[in-house]
Amino acid sequence: MNSIYGITRKKLEDYFISKKDKKFRATQIFEWLYRKNIKSFDEISNINKEAINNLKNDFYFNKLKIVAKEEDTDVKKYLFELDDGNKIESVIMYHDYGTSICISSQIGCNMGCAFCESGRLKKIRNLTTDEMLLQVIQAQEDIKKRISHIVIMGIGEPFDNYDNVIDFINIVNDPYSLAIGIRHITVSTCGIVPKIYEFAKECSGANLAISLHAPTNELRSKIMKINNAYKIEDIMKAVKDYINITNRKVTFEYIMLNNINDTDECAEKLSDLVKGLNAYVNLIPYNETHNIGFKRSDASQISRFYDILKKNKINVTIRREFGSNVSAACGQLRSKKEEVK
Ligand code: SAH
């Protein structure tokens, strides 16, 4: 049996065809699920008994348990418990342009970035499509406000759970489901190069963010294990291909770690790397966590770094901070709760 929230409309059409039923049933089901928000098949009134019984045999309704919430003015953070007892985090952020949610894609993460709290909790498993979708649906029900943007930037490496992430994007983008515009969906990857090529072909309207964090292989390999598998030049080649195919702007994320990657020299090297590309650099003030030794760069060094990029005509922004009062850095809420236990 599968969760009814884990299936794309196309796959549901194939399901109905395999049952010698009509393809359009899939659209009807989507409307019931995502417009009328039903919680059982018995609430469906326009589909015959036999089809409903088939659905009941093949699919179930599930939901996540909300075990903790933390709230600040512009942010609300959730700790969800899954059916198998594992816990995941999602964060709602209120912007002037809409409401976004940052969702997790895995339980734990195997990428092992030195500065990241999520990586301390090794990957237990991938999230299923329905577990990603339910983060959005249940947070939306809780805040009683439409979520307009999704970033897949929580715990986990989305390109290490590629197929489920693609199905998830497909469902939230579906006009009969949540209808979240493809340009309002962002995937952040530490740089799993083969998947960047696939993503360009398969999901060309979505936004791609690359966690770069260092301008040289020497430095990047020290803080990001993945750089031993895929070098910066491999990433840049894939990003150029992505931009050619999609005509979309790519974001390079760059966390500012004091005395590690925040020197003037790094700013110059970073400029050389991204110069001329249809891309921008997002400088992220590092969220310190007491388990890891890295420190955030001083505000003055962040603005100096920013100015160097600007001088070099690089599109650059400094990320606005949300919820530093609510353990909003990746993995912090979960590890806090587990330590308390
Ligand atoms: N695995 C994906 C997505 C999850 S991490 C990726 O690597 O992109 C989302 C972003 O948060 C990444 O850029 C990651 O490097 C960054 N990050 C991790 N720990 C952080 C911290 N303590 N403070 C600020 N950013 C952090």
Side-chain angles (χ1 to χ4, degrees), residues 7-69:
I7 187 162
T8 63
R9 191 153 54 92
K10 172 79 184 62
K11 287 182 188 167
L12 201 52
E13 285 175 357
D14 294 343
Y15 165 83
F16 281 111
I17 291 165
S18 78
K19 296 281 178 196
K20 312 261 176 301
D21 201 340
K22 306 278 190 300
K23 208 165 105 165
F24 72 84
R25 293 259 178 264
T27 305
Q28 292 179 311
I29 298 292
F30 260 47
E31 287 180 328
W32 283 104
L33 280 176
Y34 303 115
R35 295 291 162 80
K36 299 181 182 133
N37 304 318
I38 59 164
K39 303 293 175 209
S40 94
F41 290 118
D42 293 324
E43 295 175 57
I44 296 176
S45 58
N46 58 351
I47 296 179
N48 65 68
K49 257 243 133 55
E50 191 195 336
I52 294 290
N53 281 335
N54 282 336
L55 283 166
K56 283 185 183 170
N57 284 330
D58 296 320
F59 299 99
Y60 57 82
F61 279 79
N62 53 336
K63 80 188 229 200
L64 314 176
K65 197 162 122 199
I66 300 179
V67 288
K69 295 188 216 179

Side-chain angles (χ1 to χ4, degrees), residues 215-216 219 254 256-273 283 297-312 314:
T216 64
L219 181 55
Y254 197 97
M256 298 296 293
L257 300 166
N258 188 37
N259 284 331
I260 305 277
N261 64 353
D262 65 347
T263 60
D264 296 0
E265 194 192 344
C266 282
E268 295 290 355
K269 285 191 172 146
L270 180 60
S271 305
D272 290 342
L273 204 55
L283 300 178
S297 308
D298 291 339
S300 62
Q301 187 55 31
I302 297 179
S303 71
R304 208 180 140 86
F305 200 94
Y306 173 92
D307 288 342
I308 296 174
L309 292 177
K310 272 269 172 227
K311 176 201 78 184
N312 291 331
I314 306 296

Side-chain angles (χ1 to χ4, degrees), residues 150-208:
I150 296 180
V151 296
I152 309 177
M153 238 184 233
I155 296 174
E157 168 48 49
F159 283 177
D160 185 37
N161 184 15
Y162 186 81
D163 293 343
N164 289 346
V165 164
I166 294 293
D167 276 1
F168 164 77
I169 292 175
N170 223 301
I171 296 172
V172 290
N173 177 236
D174 193 298
Y176 293 98
S177 170
L178 306 185
I180 295 178
I182 193 74
R183 281 169 166 57
H184 289 186
I185 300 170
T186 302
V187 177
S188 175
T189 177
C190 63
I192 301 192
V193 166
K195 297 298 177 196
I196 299 176
Y197 288 104
E198 273 185 57
F199 192 68
K201 294 202 188 81
E202 202 160 9
C203 211
S204 58
N207 303 304
L208 178 67

Side-chain angles (χ1 to χ4, degrees), residues 18-245:
S18 78
K19 296 281 178 196
K20 312 261 176 301
D21 201 340
K22 306 278 190 300
K23 208 165 105 165
F24 72 84
R25 293 259 178 264
T27 305
Q28 292 179 311
I29 298 292
F30 260 47
E31 287 180 328
W32 283 104
L33 280 176
Y34 303 115
R35 295 291 162 80
K36 299 181 182 133
N37 304 318
I38 59 164
K39 303 293 175 209
S40 94
F41 290 118
D42 293 324
E43 295 175 57
I44 296 176
S45 58
N46 58 351
I47 296 179
N48 65 68
K49 257 243 133 55
E50 191 195 336
I52 294 290
N53 281 335
N54 282 336
L55 283 166
K56 283 185 183 170
N57 284 330
D58 296 320
F59 299 99
Y60 57 82
F61 279 79
N62 53 336
K63 80 188 229 200
L64 314 176
K65 197 162 122 199
I66 300 179
V67 288
K69 295 188 216 179
E70 286 186 8
E71 198 165 7
D72 212 332
T73 44
D74 53 3
V75 61
K76 187 160 186 181
K77 176 140 189 163
Y78 295 88
L79 187 67
F80 290 112
E81 186 176 307
L82 310 174
D83 282 345
D84 63 3
N86 280 302
K87 297 192 184 68
I88 53 165
E89 292 175 54
S90 330
V91 187
I92 291 273
M93 286 160 284
Y94 299 106
H95 312 264
D96 45 10
Y97 57 77
T99 300
S100 71
I101 185 166
C102 174
I103 68 146
S104 296
S105 57
Q106 297 180 316
I107 302 166
C109 183
N110 274 349
M111 298 301 121
C113 300
F115 46 80
C116 180
E117 181 85 20
S118 307
R120 291 178 57 244
L121 311 151
K122 284 275 158 276
K123 173 171 131 185
I124 296 171
R125 65 171 172 83
N126 285 330
L127 291 187
T128 55
T129 303
D130 54 287
E131 288 167 336
M132 288 185 265
L133 186 62
L134 286 168
Q135 296 173 59
V136 183
I137 292 175
Q138 291 185 222
Q140 185 166 263
E141 281 173 4
D142 186 68
I143 61 171
K144 299 184 179 61
K145 220 175 149 174
R146 181 173 185 267
I147 290 174
S148 56
H149 293 68
I150 296 180
V151 296
I152 309 177
M153 238 184 233
I155 296 174
E157 168 48 49
F159 283 177
D160 185 37
N161 184 15
Y162 186 81
D163 293 343
N164 289 346
V165 164
I166 294 293
D167 276 1
F168 164 77
I169 292 175
N170 223 301
I171 296 172
V172 290
N173 177 236
D174 193 298
Y176 293 98
S177 170
L178 306 185
I180 295 178
I182 193 74
R183 281 169 166 57
H184 289 186
I185 300 170
T186 302
V187 177
S188 175
T189 177
C190 63
I192 301 192
V193 166
K195 297 298 177 196
I196 299 176
Y197 288 104
E198 273 185 57
F199 192 68
K201 294 202 188 81
E202 202 160 9
C203 211
S204 58
N207 303 304
L208 178 67
I210 307 276
S211 295
L212 190 62
H213 304 331
T216 64
N217 284 319
E218 195 196 350
L219 181 55
R220 195 168 191 266
S221 295
K222 278 191 192 143
I223 55 175
M224 296 179 75
K225 230 172 50 186
I226 189 72
N227 204 65
N228 297 320
Y230 305 109
K231 298 280 174 249
I232 293 180
E233 46 281 14
D234 303 331
I235 294 180
M236 298 316 280
K237 201 160 159 261
V239 163
K240 279 178 196 152
D241 180 83
Y242 177 89
I243 294 170
N244 277 340
I245 291 183

